[in-house]
Amino acid sequence: METETELAKIISKRLKEGSYECAVCSELVRLRDKLWACSACHGIVHLSCVRFWVKVQTEEREKKRGTSGNTSCVATEFCCPLCRLINPTDALAEYKCFCGKVKDPCDDPLLVPGSCGQTCEKRRDDPKCVHPCTLMCHPGPCPPCSLTRLQSCYCGNSEMSVGCSSGVRGFNCGGVCGKLLDCGNHNCTALCHEGPCPICTVLATTKCHCGAMEKTLRCGENVPFSCNAVCGKPLDCGNHNCPVKCHEGPCKPCSRVPERQPFCPCGKVRVRQLLDSPRKSCLDPIPSCGLVCGARLPCNHTCSFCVMKVLCAHPVLRWSRPSVRVDPAILNIFVFAATYLQRNGKRLLQSQTL
């Protein structure tokens, strides 16, 4: 059986005796007076007095806003005259009983002034308690709950019955915690404890993306990494290895496969125009057109080397470039000139210096 708190008993007794004074006007509270009670300090004042209090506060805020330009003052809130708690002004729109269920409660001399005589049924301050107050509508705070509830231990493996308003938030069951650790792979081996579990200390070996290097790291931190060496994994052609640095995910397909290399290295002429018979595998050499490369270098200049003699440093072969139709006679002239310069260039240079 629940009983009123000491504060509720004192307030109820003084209200019944007519000795309770309003904190605003200092007048005694009578049976027929309309009242307002603060939800924090549970102080009681006349409803008309607290409305006047709000009006004065609002005028002061408006005056302050007009003189200093302060726009943070909100007219929809007011401070309790006793504890200065911020309350919404909507609570003053109607006169209600202490439990808030009845509007304009009747003036019954057998009841506490401001009480409706019904069961309070307010939610208690304890967030764990789900049981409403069973006392008659009353001033002051609701008493602690006298019922019980099930409370789990810290690890959640056991339960016990505790007082609903006992404030118990957990207990040590004495068993192994067993919660999943931060690594997501192992469980806590400590005894049931309060607070978070310790970090996982198990060591695990992990390999880099290409599998050439291993590291021993704490579990949870053993994620794949890059060793910055050449990958070297076999490509899809089965003849070449990946030339890229150790990387995540699958390797790119071989770029020398005939289907993926339709142009010469500089991208000006199609391979089928330079060969009598088509290439059959990635091991077959890629013919050069003999023209000046002209590819854009990283320094923003164009490559001026002859493709037949040396390839430029351009990182990507421009396969998607539209083919340029070259007349076979002109192409033969370029090939002949390039071959002649390659064979006799040194001798011609020496003859010019003499």
Side-chain angles (χ1 to χ4, degrees), residues 10-276:
I10 294 174
I11 296 176
S12 298
K13 181 180 178 181
R14 294 180 61 185
L15 286 174
K16 283 185 176 181
E17 294 175 349
S19 60
Y20 194 95
E21 291 185 1
C22 173
V24 177
C25 65
S26 300
E27 295 290 337
L28 296 177
V29 175
R30 304 300 179 183
L31 178 63
R32 292 180 173 81
D33 292 343
K34 295 183 178 181
L35 308 176
W36 174 82
C38 178
S39 59
C41 66
H42 305 287
I44 297 175
V45 295
H46 291 113
L47 183 61
S48 58
C49 292
V50 74
R51 286 174 177 172
F52 175 76
W53 173 269
V54 173
K55 181 181 178 181
V56 172
Q57 284 190 342
T58 304
E59 291 176 353
E60 291 180 354
R61 288 172 180 169
E62 292 295 334
K63 183 178 179 181
K64 185 177 180 181
R65 183 187 304 176
T67 55
S68 62
N70 185 7
T71 59
S72 61
C73 298
V74 182
T76 57
E77 297 177 346
F78 72 97
C79 298
C80 172
L82 298 174
C83 67
R84 314 299 294 178
L85 176 73
I86 300 297
N87 292 273
T89 54
D90 296 341
L92 306 178
E94 297 177 339
Y95 171 45
K96 291 186 177 182
C97 62
F98 296 119
C99 67
K101 291 187 295 184
V102 178
K103 178 182 176 182
D104 295 326
C106 61
D107 305 328
D108 191 342
L110 300 179
L111 299 176
V112 178
S115 174
C116 64
Q118 301 181 20
T119 306
C120 176
E121 296 183 348
K122 276 186 178 180
R123 290 294 303 270
R124 305 175 196 271
D125 295 335
D126 188 356
K128 288 283 187 178
C129 180
V130 296
H131 309 108
C133 178
T134 58
L135 296 179
M136 184 185 298
C137 179
H138 61 89
C142 296
C145 183
S146 59
L147 301 178
T148 60
R149 59 179 172 85
L150 289 177
Q151 175 64 49
S152 59
C153 63
Y154 296 124
C155 66
N157 295 326
S158 302
E159 289 183 342
M160 65 179 296
S161 180
V162 297
C164 193
S165 297
S166 61
V168 177
R169 296 293 180 264
F171 63 95
N172 190 341
C173 67
V176 177
C177 176
K179 289 182 180 179
L180 193 65
L181 296 179
D182 60 334
C183 65
N185 301 319
H186 301 93
N187 299 91
C188 180
T189 57
L191 296 180
C192 180
H193 58 88
E194 187 177 3
C197 298
I199 62 174
C200 181
T201 57
V202 178
L203 298 180
T205 302
T206 183
K207 292 184 177 181
C208 64
H209 298 300
C210 67
M213 182 183 292
E214 291 185 352
K215 282 186 179 181
T216 301
L217 301 171
R218 187 180 69 84
C219 183
E221 297 178 350
N222 56 336
V223 293
F225 62 96
S226 175
C227 64
N228 293 325
V230 176
C231 176
K233 291 182 180 179
L235 298 181
D236 59 345
C237 64
N239 299 318
H240 298 93
N241 296 330
C242 180
V244 184
K245 285 186 178 181
C246 180
H247 59 88
E248 187 177 1
C251 300
K252 294 182 179 180
C254 179
S255 60
R256 297 179 63 88
V257 175
E259 294 78 11
R260 304 186 188 118
Q261 183 70 45
F263 293 94
C264 65
C266 70
K268 292 185 175 68
V269 183
R270 287 187 176 273
V271 173
R272 67 169 179 263
Q273 295 177 315
L274 303 174
L275 297 176
D276 296 333

